[in-house]
Amino acid sequence: EEPDVRVLLVPLVETVLSSEIPARIERIRVDIGDRFKSGRDLVIFDCEMYKAQLKKAKVELTEARKIFEINKRLDALQSVSELEMAASAAKMEMGKAEVSLRKTQIKKCTVKAPFSGRVVRRKANPFEYVSPGQPLLEVIDDVHLRVQILVPSRWSKWMKKKLRFKVHIDETGKDYTARITALGARVDPVSQTLEVRAKIDGKHRELLAGMS
């Protein structure tokens, strides 16, 4: 009979959400351990400055568009130079680009959940001023946990994808059915083990990443 092996529950996805713009945090809507749904607003920045910049860019675009339209009419009457016509067209295009940039910045004023999951760690606080790339929240997808196993390399003779087996989780005291989803491509020469990944059937809210 083959011996039992230890397994570890790991999240399918784990990531650190960061700020994409320099701004002051207005509100963080989640804390350690909180669950969230995909698309939910997690961090909200104070973006009054970016909104004001967008308003200014829209006014400048409207002005540039009017000048371009006037020059178009004058061009039809051959009353404007090619240089003036090209300059007004370029200024209008620059105005459009500026409006687009400001709109993009405002979209980044809210950090949304990229998937459904749970907060592992909060790395920032409300009212802090953050820079682009500064970590805000460490999050995991705890809805879809993965089983990570190191098995004796000799098991590779009979192990295969979709093979089902029982997993006993110490922390819950329960048994769960799992199936193999991936087999490692290399045997560790020191420990003579092979990494195997599996998925537990069904959804079990009591299971947490790190359980074994």
Side-chain angles (χ1 to χ4, degrees):
E1 188 179 337
E2 296 287 6
D4 291 339
V5 292
R6 299 295 293 176
V7 307
L8 179 68
L9 295 187
V10 296
L12 190 64
V13 182
E14 54 185 318
T15 189
V16 176
L17 302 178
S18 303
S19 170
E20 292 188 66
I21 56 170
R24 183 178 65 85
I25 297 172
E26 189 174 277
R27 196 157 27 124
I28 299 179
R29 302 186 65 184
V30 288
D31 209 339
I32 294 171
D34 286 352
R35 294 184 187 277
F36 53 81
K37 296 272 188 176
S38 177
R40 181 185 170 187
D41 294 347
L42 301 180
V43 181
I44 298 167
F45 295 111
D46 174 9
C47 277
E48 288 306 311
M49 180 183 71
Y50 292 111
K51 289 174 183 174
Q53 288 173 338
L54 173 61
K55 191 174 179 180
K56 179 173 178 282
K58 283 181 174 178
V59 170
E60 289 174 348
L61 174 59
T62 299
E63 184 183 346
R65 189 174 276 128
K66 283 179 181 175
I67 292 170
F68 177 72
E69 291 300 329
I70 289 168
N71 281 346
K72 246 179 41 168
R73 288 196 292 271
L74 290 173
D75 185 51
L77 300 170
Q78 296 184 332
S79 299
V80 66
S81 70
E82 273 188 41
L83 182 61
E84 285 176 304
M85 190 68 202
S88 63
K91 194 167 183 181
M92 186 177 69
E93 290 304 315
M94 285 172 64
K96 288 178 183 177
E98 187 70 16
V99 168
S100 178
L101 171 65
R102 300 305 175 189
K103 283 181 176 178
T104 300
Q105 286 175 329
I106 288 173
K107 281 182 184 175
K108 296 180 189 303
C109 285
T110 303
V111 177
K112 295 183 180 291
F115 48 77
S116 296
R118 203 167 187 182
V119 179
V120 175
R121 191 173 290 112
R122 209 171 81 174
K123 295 174 173 281
N125 294 298
F127 312 117
E128 279 184 25
Y129 184 87
V130 295
S131 304
Q134 187 168 329
L136 304 172
L137 296 169
E138 186 178 332
V139 296
I140 61 170
D141 175 358
D142 74 330
V143 178
H144 306 96
L145 292 174
R146 191 173 66 210
V147 180
Q148 193 174 57
I149 324 164
L150 289 176
V151 304
S153 57
R154 65 178 182 275
W155 288 16
S156 62
K157 288 183 287 187
W158 53 267
M159 291 196 99
K160 58 184 180 181
K161 280 188 180 182
K162 298 185 179 179
L163 181 71
R164 278 188 156 75
F165 59 97
K166 289 284 185 185
V167 177
H168 178 81
I169 301 297
D170 293 343
E171 288 84 354
T172 66
K174 294 180 182 178
D175 289 344
Y176 303 86
T177 303
R179 59 183 171 82
I180 293 174
T181 57
L183 297 168
R186 177 181 292 173
V187 171
D188 184 281
V190 178
S191 62
Q192 289 296 295
T193 56
L194 180 73
E195 184 178 346
V196 174
R197 293 182 179 179
K199 185 176 182 293
I200 290 177
D201 292 339
K203 291 183 180 179
H204 308 275
R205 290 182 71 84
E206 72 273 17
L207 295 180
L208 300 174
M211 287 183 173
S212 61

